[in-house]
């Protein structure tokens, strides 16, 4: 697991979010926005995005370790994210909840909005603020496109559109997404989603933790 924020002595009363490294910045932004001072965050590696089979076993271990450290209130900062239901089995095993939805591209847009556009977006390549910041590290270099640009058609030839789901208004990130669409030969669309369902999900998890403390 990635390094965790300093654990406070009163871990039993705190909400620990074990999340995807791809949404760490956003979780912390929502924490500040909603003044969720008792929320702590630890993350699994962001590159599990490309290796969904690693998510459920790593989450199982992370929750087990967190409980051993004394955390009673744990929330899984993942959607299903390609685990094919295996993450839900881990959540059920430990009696914890996760973010609803199939993946972060859905909960950033909001479940209702995604339900309306999901089928139409089947041939679209999604980017988020994180993926804009890490475009070279997550796509260009691992796929060898910096050395073999001719492979772009092999990797992205079945896409028709690049959709940037923007959590923030950052011209630098806009430029990355626009340049990526141009480089990949895809139609470009920007959707200002903000944090989507994430604030409500974290607020509900915090409320549930507070309720259990009072019970």
């Amino acid at each position: 697991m990635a390094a965790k924020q300093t654990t406070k002595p009163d871990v039993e009363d705190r909400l620990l979010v074990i999340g995807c490294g791809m949404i760490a910045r956003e979780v912390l932004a929502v924490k500040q926005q909603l003044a969720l001072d008792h929320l702590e965050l630890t993350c699994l590696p962001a590159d599990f995005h490309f290796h969904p089979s690693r998510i459920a076993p790593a989450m199982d271990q992370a929750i087990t370790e967190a409980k051993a450290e004394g955390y009673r209130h744990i929330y899984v900062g993942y959607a299903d994210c390609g685990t094919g239901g295996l993450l839900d089995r881990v959540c059920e095993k430990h009696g914890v909840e996760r973010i609803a939805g199939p993946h972060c591209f859905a909960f950033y847009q909001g479940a209702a909005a995604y339900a309306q556009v999901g089928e139409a977006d089947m041939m679209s390549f999604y980017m988020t603020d994180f993926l804009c910041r890490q475009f070279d590290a997550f796509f260009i270099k691992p796929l060898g496109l910096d050395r073999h640009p001719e492979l772009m058609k092999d990797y992205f030839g079945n896409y028709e559109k690049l959709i940037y789901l923007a959590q923030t208004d950052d011209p630098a990130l806009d430029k990355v997404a626009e340049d990526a669409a141009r480089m990949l030969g895809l139609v470009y669309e920007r959707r200002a989603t903000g944090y989507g369902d994430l604030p409500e999900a974290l607020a509900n998890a915090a409320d549930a933790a507070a309720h259990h403390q009072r019970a």
Side-chain angles (χ1 to χ4, degrees):
M1 283 194 305
K4 186 166 52 186
Q5 296 176 6
T6 303
T7 302
K8 307 296 189 299
D10 56 336
V11 294
E12 291 187 356
D13 297 329
R14 304 184 73 77
L15 171 65
L16 177 66
V17 176
I18 305 176
C20 171
M22 285 181 57
I23 68 168
R25 182 188 294 248
E26 288 70 30
V27 170
L28 293 176
V30 171
K31 172 184 175 176
Q32 181 177 13
Q33 182 184 86
L34 300 182
L36 301 176
D37 296 332
H38 62 299
L39 183 153
E40 292 187 5
L41 173 67
T42 187
C43 290
L44 301 184
D47 65 1
F48 281 10
H49 175 78
F50 296 119
H51 307 283
S53 63
R54 300 179 186 178
I55 296 173
M59 183 61 69
D60 189 11
Q61 180 180 349
I63 294 174
T64 299
E65 291 175 356
K67 287 186 173 181
E69 292 174 12
Y71 288 97
R72 296 186 304 159
H73 312 296
I74 299 170
Y75 187 70
V76 172
Y78 274 88
D80 178 75
C81 296
T83 69
L86 294 180
L87 185 57
D88 284 330
R89 294 184 188 177
V90 172
C91 291
E92 183 177 356
K93 170 185 173 180
H94 290 284
V96 301
E97 300 290 332
R98 69 164 174 86
I99 300 174
H103 40 63
C104 65
F105 307 125
F107 71 67
Y108 274 147
Q109 295 184 82
Y114 179 74
Q116 295 180 348
V117 302
E119 187 172 344
D121 286 354
M122 288 293 290
M123 305 301 290
S124 298
F125 176 67
Y126 283 128
M127 290 185 69
T128 62
D129 283 13
F130 176 90
L131 291 175
C132 285
R133 293 189 185 95
Q134 301 296 329
F135 186 68
D136 284 347
F138 262 62
F139 297 108
I140 299 300
K141 292 180 180 178
L143 297 178
L145 298 178
D146 52 338
R147 303 181 304 278
H148 301 285
E150 68 276 7
L151 294 177
M152 287 185 191
K153 287 291 185 182
D154 294 330
Y155 288 119
F156 298 96
N158 291 326
Y159 292 109
E160 298 174 349
K161 182 188 293 187
L162 185 152
I163 301 176
Y164 171 31
L165 307 176
Q167 282 72 70
T168 57
D169 291 319
D170 186 332
L173 299 184
D174 290 342
K175 186 176 187 306
V176 172
E178 292 167 3
D179 288 348
R182 189 178 304 109
M183 179 180 65
L184 300 176
L186 302 177
V187 175
Y188 176 69
E189 179 181 343
R190 183 186 191 275
R191 295 179 187 168
T193 66
Y195 302 125
D197 289 341
L198 186 59
E200 182 179 5
L202 295 179
N204 288 342
D207 287 345
H211 176 75
H212 290 155
Q213 291 171 23
R214 294 190 297 268

